[in-house]
Amino acid sequence: MTDAPLTPTDDAGVPPQDPNAPGGFRILTQYVRDLSFENPRAPESLRVEGKPAIDMNVELNAKGRPDGLFEVDLRLSVKASVEDQAVFHVELVYGGLFQLFNVQPQDIEPLLLIECPRFLFPFAREIITRATADGGFYPPFMPEPIDFAGIYIARQSQMAANADAQPGQA
């Protein structure tokens, strides 16, 4: 034990940041909010000939909390099928609790919907890979890396197009 003075902390137990320092975030915790794995045709589905068709969907959600922290959820849904027969279906909602510091208001949304999911994804990927391996599939399904910036930009473009299409707005 040292005699060095303790650094004061804010309400979240984190030392205060230099207001002139560049903005960033801390991952306070990560968690599985929901996990579902279905193998409806086992054990026949384990002897599938050829490569199954994969349909993967990604959904991102972020929300602020009254304590100043932010929750980010990464929802991944993976369906595999062969000739319209279900092989497996995995649904995962993987979340994280983040603390932002020195982030400009206009940078909060991109940070929460691009950078935070980028840090969560490798853990979610491992959970999906492990679930398919534990379900008996070899090789297990391993999701490819996701371009979260591309998803964000596409979403912003879609929202702008929808706003332009609203009739009677001035």
Side-chain angles (χ1 to χ4, degrees):
M1 185 146 177
T2 66
D3 293 328
L6 296 175
T7 305
T9 61
D10 62 15
D11 292 340
V14 178
Q17 301 294 320
D18 175 3
N20 297 321
F25 64 92
R26 287 188 55 206
I27 304 170
L28 300 178
T29 190
Q30 297 176 212
Y31 46 88
V32 173
R33 185 179 302 270
D34 187 27
L35 174 61
S36 170
F37 177 81
E38 297 174 22
N39 187 355
R41 295 183 35 242
E44 286 78 23
S45 60
L46 303 177
R47 298 185 304 198
V48 171
E49 294 292 323
K51 197 171 185 177
I54 302 291
D55 179 25
M56 183 167 152
N57 293 306
V58 179
E59 184 180 321
L60 304 170
N61 293 303
K63 66 179 179 179
R65 296 168 28 125
D67 58 5
L69 302 176
F70 293 86
E71 292 179 38
V72 176
D73 283 343
L74 173 59
R75 179 182 301 269
L76 300 172
S77 175
V78 182
K79 295 179 182 179
S81 61
V82 172
E83 299 175 4
D84 295 330
Q85 295 278 330
V87 176
F88 68 80
H89 184 189
V90 182
E91 288 187 4
L92 171 65
V93 180
Y94 192 76
L97 185 63
F98 294 86
Q99 178 187 36
L100 306 185
F101 52 89
N102 298 339
V103 177
Q104 298 299 316
Q106 70 272 12
D107 296 332
I108 291 175
E109 185 179 87
L111 181 67
L112 292 174
L113 297 176
I114 298 172
E115 296 305 322
C116 293
R118 190 175 290 161
F119 280 88
L120 295 175
F121 179 73
F123 300 96
R125 180 184 194 187
E126 175 61 27
I127 291 166
I128 289 173
T129 302
R130 174 61 60 194
T132 58
D134 289 347
F137 294 95
Y138 184 82
F141 176 72
M142 181 177 288
E144 293 290 325
I146 296 172
D147 179 6
F148 293 106
I151 291 171
Y152 180 77
I153 291 167
R155 183 174 142 188
Q156 295 298 94
S157 297
Q158 183 181 24
M159 288 173 38
N162 289 344
D164 291 342
Q166 296 292 328
Q169 301 266 333

